[in-house]
Amino acid sequence: MVAPPANRNSPQPGKKDRRETARETARIEREAEKKRQRRNRVFLQGGIVVGVIAIIAVVALVIVSVNANKPSGDGPKNMASDGILLTGSKMAAVPTPAIKAGGKPVPTDPSTLKGVRIVTYIDYQCPFCQQFEAANSQQIESMVTAGAASLEIHPIAFLDANSLGNKYASRAANAAACVANYDPNNFYAVNTALFANQPAENTSGKTDKELIAVLKDAGSSSSKISSCITSQAFVPWVTAATARVDPSGQTVTFKGVANTPQKFAGTPTVFVNGERFTGSITDPAVFAAFVEKAASAG
């Protein structure tokens, strides 16, 4: 069916009407554009808010994760004096609670001990400590296991600069603290192994993997110890314990043995019944004579 032709006689809109129609059409289009822009702004703002919330959520999760794995600053168990006390035929550690973050050490009461009391302040990067240990570790062990002495070892770390950025002194002291916390009765074996495997000064210190291997060879191996080493769980305590000794000079007075003033003379600093050993660190006979004299005087 063909549409009828347009009626040419129908009245056409005038110029004014066309102008009004155009204005109205333009107004409708402007209103539509404004609505579209407002809608886009709402969506954009909503998207930004959602994005910000998502970012905050991610940051919060990261903070929680970091804080969960961040060392608390508490010290290791069995080192309430900042040192670990070894006694008896098996050189067992005397159990103590940990020093809380910000807390202070509790000096060992010498009246509770039998025989002479040997106290050492050592740094696992210190070559002189290694020399003292190599010369005297076996006879010290014999003295302790025979019931003639007790041994309290204080690991400190002020030779971090001597391992080419590896901070081996602090990391090795942390490893020893991990053993004190999780395997305390094997501490002396680990102490001996750390010195036997001491890296030379001004070379790269051992990696975490290598430290874990040294401890494993010495008989201390567990997932807790490995995690403790890699997370550097007790490094804050190592730093605090080192600061308490204050090895900033060679004539610093500090409260060491039985909380009495002592002169720190670098590492190793060794006391026997409260008297500092100043003899040859490489001659076991000299140290044995010093211990015997202290035993006789006591």
Side-chain angles (χ1 to χ4, degrees), residues 79-94:
M79 299 189 82
S81 67
D82 274 347
I84 185 167
L85 178 61
L86 308 175
T87 64
S89 60
K90 296 183 179 180
M91 295 197 76
V94 175

Side-chain angles (χ1 to χ4, degrees), residues 276-298:
R276 185 162 64 87
F277 174 63
T278 58
S280 171
I281 61 174
T282 59
D283 190 337
V286 173
F287 183 69
F290 186 77
V291 172
E292 184 177 351
K293 178 182 177 182
S296 299

Side-chain angles (χ1 to χ4, degrees), residues 46-60:
I48 291 173
V49 170
V50 171
V52 170
I53 291 174
I55 292 171
I56 292 173
V58 170
V59 171

Side-chain angles (χ1 to χ4, degrees), residues 158-184:
F158 67 100
L159 292 177
D160 275 342
N162 293 14
S163 55
L164 302 182
N166 182 274
K167 295 186 177 181
Y168 179 75
S170 289
R171 292 173 50 253
N174 172 74
C178 294
V179 174
N181 193 80
Y182 294 111
D183 191 17

Side-chain angles (χ1 to χ4, degrees), residues 246-254 262-266 276:
D246 189 16
S248 58
Q250 299 217 347
T251 58
V252 175
T253 297
F254 72 108
Q262 302 288 342
K263 293 290 185 180
F264 183 85
R276 185 162 64 87

Side-chain angles (χ1 to χ4, degrees), residues 22 29 38 99 139 169 287:
E29 289 178 353
R38 285 197 298 270
I99 301 173
Q139 70 172 348
F287 183 69

Side-chain angles (χ1 to χ4, degrees), residues 217-231:
D217 289 344
S220 286
S221 176
S222 72
S223 59
K224 289 183 178 180
I225 290 176
S226 296
S227 177
C228 180
I229 290 172
T230 56
S231 68

